[in-house]
Amino acid sequence: LTVMDISELTGFPEMMDGRVKTLHPKVHGGLLAVRDDPAHAAAMADHAIGAIDLVVVNLYPFAATVAKGAGRDEVIENIDIGGPSMVRSAAKNHRYVTIITDPADYPALITALEETGGATTPALRKGMAAKAFAATAAYDAAIAQWFAVTDQEHHFPVSYTHLTLPTILLV
Protein backbone atom coordinates (compact mmCIF):
# COMPACT_ATOMS: atom_id res chain seq x y z
CA LEU A 1 0.00 0.00 0.00
CA THR A 2 1.14 3.50 -0.72
CA VAL A 3 1.19 5.46 2.52
CA MET A 4 2.03 9.13 3.02
CA ASP A 5 2.22 11.48 5.94
CA ILE A 6 -0.84 13.69 6.31
CA SER A 7 1.34 16.81 6.06
CA GLU A 8 2.56 15.65 2.67
CA LEU A 9 -1.02 15.21 1.49
CA THR A 10 -2.36 18.53 2.76
CA GLY A 11 0.75 20.66 2.31
CA PHE A 12 0.35 21.88 5.89
CA PRO A 13 2.27 20.80 8.97
CA GLU A 14 0.58 19.30 11.99
CA MET A 15 -0.03 22.27 14.26
CA MET A 16 -1.43 23.41 17.58
CA ASP A 17 0.01 20.44 19.46
CA GLY A 18 -1.59 18.00 17.03
CA ARG A 19 -5.07 19.49 17.27
CA VAL A 20 -5.05 20.41 13.58
CA LYS A 21 -3.85 17.93 11.01
CA THR A 22 -6.63 16.05 9.19
CA LEU A 23 -9.45 18.61 9.01
CA HIS A 24 -8.63 19.63 5.45
CA PRO A 25 -10.42 19.60 2.05
CA LYS A 26 -7.75 17.36 0.54
CA VAL A 27 -8.63 14.77 3.17
CA HIS A 28 -12.40 15.08 3.32
CA GLY A 29 -12.75 15.81 -0.40
CA GLY A 30 -10.81 12.64 -1.11
CA LEU A 31 -13.09 10.73 1.23
CA LEU A 32 -16.49 12.20 0.37
CA ALA A 33 -16.32 12.58 -3.42
CA VAL A 34 -18.90 10.64 -5.36
CA ARG A 35 -16.47 9.35 -7.92
CA ASP A 36 -18.87 8.80 -10.78
CA ASP A 37 -20.40 12.29 -10.41
CA PRO A 38 -18.86 14.59 -13.06
CA ALA A 39 -19.18 17.67 -10.82
CA HIS A 40 -17.37 15.91 -7.98
CA ALA A 41 -14.67 14.66 -10.35
CA ALA A 42 -14.24 18.19 -11.74
CA ALA A 43 -13.91 19.66 -8.24
CA MET A 44 -11.31 17.04 -7.38
CA ALA A 45 -9.35 17.86 -10.53
CA ASP A 46 -9.67 21.63 -10.02
CA HIS A 47 -8.33 21.41 -6.48
CA ALA A 48 -5.81 18.58 -6.88
CA ILE A 49 -7.75 16.29 -4.55
CA GLY A 50 -6.94 12.62 -4.85
CA ALA A 51 -9.38 9.84 -4.05
CA ILE A 52 -8.78 8.03 -0.77
CA ASP A 53 -9.83 4.38 -0.90
CA LEU A 54 -8.93 3.10 2.55
CA VAL A 55 -8.94 4.73 5.97
CA VAL A 56 -7.67 3.03 9.11
CA VAL A 57 -8.27 5.08 12.24
CA ASN A 58 -7.38 4.36 15.83
CA LEU A 59 -9.12 7.09 17.81
CA TYR A 60 -7.37 8.84 20.67
CA PRO A 61 -7.73 6.69 23.80
CA PHE A 62 -10.34 8.84 25.52
CA ALA A 63 -11.90 6.12 27.71
CA ALA A 64 -8.50 4.72 28.73
CA THR A 65 -7.32 8.21 29.63
CA VAL A 66 -10.37 8.74 31.85
CA ALA A 67 -10.01 5.25 33.36
CA LYS A 68 -6.43 5.89 34.43
CA GLY A 69 -7.59 8.94 36.40
CA ALA A 70 -5.98 11.58 34.19
CA GLY A 71 -6.55 15.24 34.94
CA ARG A 72 -8.98 17.39 33.01
CA ASP A 73 -6.40 18.85 30.60
CA GLU A 74 -5.12 15.40 29.59
CA VAL A 75 -8.66 14.08 29.20
CA ILE A 76 -9.59 17.03 26.98
CA GLU A 77 -6.50 16.51 24.82
CA ASN A 78 -7.59 12.89 24.31
CA ILE A 79 -10.86 13.90 22.67
CA ASP A 80 -10.23 13.04 19.04
CA ILE A 81 -11.84 15.45 16.56
CA GLY A 82 -10.23 14.72 13.20
CA GLY A 83 -10.35 10.94 13.64
CA PRO A 84 -14.12 10.68 14.08
CA SER A 85 -14.58 13.19 11.26
CA MET A 86 -12.54 11.00 8.91
CA VAL A 87 -14.32 7.88 10.13
CA ARG A 88 -17.73 9.42 9.47
CA SER A 89 -16.69 10.78 6.06
CA ALA A 90 -15.32 7.41 4.98
CA ALA A 91 -18.31 5.49 6.35
CA LYS A 92 -20.78 7.84 4.66
CA ASN A 93 -19.04 7.20 1.34
CA HIS A 94 -18.66 3.44 1.81
CA ARG A 95 -19.69 2.94 -1.81
CA TYR A 96 -16.09 3.88 -2.62
CA VAL A 97 -14.16 3.97 0.65
CA THR A 98 -13.28 1.27 3.15
CA ILE A 99 -13.13 2.37 6.80
CA ILE A 100 -11.47 0.26 9.47
CA THR A 101 -11.86 1.29 13.12
CA ASP A 102 -11.09 -1.96 14.93
CA PRO A 103 -7.72 -3.73 14.80
CA ALA A 104 -9.64 -7.02 15.02
CA ASP A 105 -10.77 -6.31 11.44
CA TYR A 106 -7.24 -6.06 10.03
CA PRO A 107 -7.15 -9.77 9.04
CA ALA A 108 -10.45 -9.45 7.13
CA LEU A 109 -9.12 -6.37 5.37
CA ILE A 110 -5.85 -8.06 4.44
CA THR A 111 -7.72 -11.11 3.15
CA ALA A 112 -10.02 -8.92 1.04
CA LEU A 113 -7.10 -6.98 -0.39
CA GLU A 114 -5.24 -10.18 -1.24
CA GLU A 115 -8.28 -11.88 -2.79
CA THR A 116 -9.26 -8.92 -4.96
CA GLY A 117 -5.85 -7.63 -5.97
CA GLY A 118 -6.02 -4.56 -3.75
CA ALA A 119 -9.73 -3.77 -3.57
CA THR A 120 -12.49 -4.53 -1.10
CA THR A 121 -16.01 -5.82 -1.59
CA PRO A 122 -19.21 -3.82 -1.20
CA ALA A 123 -20.26 -6.19 1.59
CA LEU A 124 -17.07 -5.54 3.55
CA ARG A 125 -17.39 -1.77 3.04
CA LYS A 126 -21.02 -1.80 4.21
CA GLY A 127 -20.19 -3.86 7.29
CA MET A 128 -17.23 -1.70 8.22
CA ALA A 129 -19.29 1.48 7.69
CA ALA A 130 -21.94 0.23 10.11
CA LYS A 131 -19.26 -0.69 12.62
CA ALA A 132 -17.60 2.71 12.16
CA PHE A 133 -20.78 4.65 12.89
CA ALA A 134 -21.31 2.50 15.98
CA ALA A 135 -17.74 3.24 17.07
CA THR A 136 -18.12 7.01 16.71
CA ALA A 137 -21.49 6.90 18.49
CA ALA A 138 -19.95 5.02 21.42
CA TYR A 139 -16.96 7.38 21.45
CA ASP A 140 -19.19 10.46 21.51
CA ALA A 141 -21.39 8.88 24.19
CA ALA A 142 -18.35 8.30 26.41
CA ILE A 143 -17.31 11.93 25.99
CA ALA A 144 -20.84 13.18 26.69
CA GLN A 145 -21.05 11.02 29.81
CA TRP A 146 -17.68 12.27 31.06
CA PHE A 147 -18.80 15.89 30.67
CA ALA A 148 -22.13 15.10 32.35
CA VAL A 149 -20.48 13.49 35.34
CA THR A 150 -17.54 15.86 35.59
CA ASP A 151 -19.20 19.19 34.94
CA GLN A 152 -22.90 18.72 35.66
CA GLU A 153 -22.73 16.00 38.31
CA HIS A 154 -25.22 13.86 36.35
CA HIS A 155 -24.67 10.17 35.81
CA PHE A 156 -25.92 10.46 32.25
CA PRO A 157 -25.94 13.34 29.79
CA VAL A 158 -29.00 15.52 29.83
CA SER A 159 -31.13 14.48 26.88
CA TYR A 160 -32.43 16.99 24.43
CA THR A 161 -36.15 16.41 24.14
CA HIS A 162 -36.53 19.32 21.71
CA LEU A 163 -34.72 17.35 19.01
CA THR A 164 -37.01 15.42 16.73
CA LEU A 165 -35.47 12.18 15.54
CA PRO A 166 -37.05 9.96 12.92
CA THR A 167 -38.47 6.66 13.99
CA ILE A 168 -36.63 3.78 12.40
CA LEU A 169 -38.50 0.55 11.97
CA LEU A 170 -36.56 -2.63 11.51
CA VAL A 171 -38.50 -5.35 9.83
Side-chain angles (χ1 to χ4, degrees):
L1 300 175
T2 302
V3 178
M4 73 171 53
D5 185 86
I6 194 72
S7 297
E8 184 181 344
L9 174 67
T10 64
F12 284 88
E14 178 180 315
M15 60 183 87
M16 299 178 191
D17 299 319
R19 284 182 168 212
V20 179
K21 54 188 163 211
T22 60
L23 297 171
H24 193 280
K26 285 197 175 186
V27 174
H28 291 277
L31 293 173
L32 288 167
V34 177
R35 298 182 187 173
D36 53 2
D37 180 316
H40 287 219
M44 291 176 76
D46 289 347
H47 299 285
I49 296 172
I52 299 173
D53 299 322
L54 172 63
V55 178
V56 179
V57 173
N58 295 302
L59 300 173
Y60 291 175
F62 177 81
T65 302
V66 171
K68 76 176 188 176
R72 182 180 188 84
D73 289 346
E74 186 177 352
V75 170
I76 295 294
E77 288 308 312
N78 277 277
I79 297 174
D80 199 327
I81 302 301
S85 296
M86 287 190 304
V87 168
R88 292 176 62 81
S89 290
K92 177 178 180 171
N93 208 23
H94 64 272
R95 182 173 171 196
Y96 307 99
V97 182
T98 306
I99 176 63
I100 303 294
T101 57
D102 182 352
D105 293 321
Y106 294 172
L109 171 65
I110 292 167
T111 298
L113 293 172
E114 289 172 346
E115 289 177 352
T116 62
T120 58
T121 65
L124 177 70
R125 291 192 303 273
K126 287 178 185 178
M128 293 300 101
K131 192 170 185 176
F133 279 117
T136 59
Y139 193 79
D140 287 341
I143 294 166
Q145 185 173 9
W146 180 81
F147 273 105
V149 170
T150 302
D151 292 342
Q152 287 83 41
E153 298 179 8
H154 296 284
H155 289 289
F156 299 99
V158 176
S159 60
Y160 293 93
T161 56
H162 66 280
L163 296 177
T164 304
L165 300 176
T167 301
I168 300 173
L169 299 175
L170 298 176
V171 185

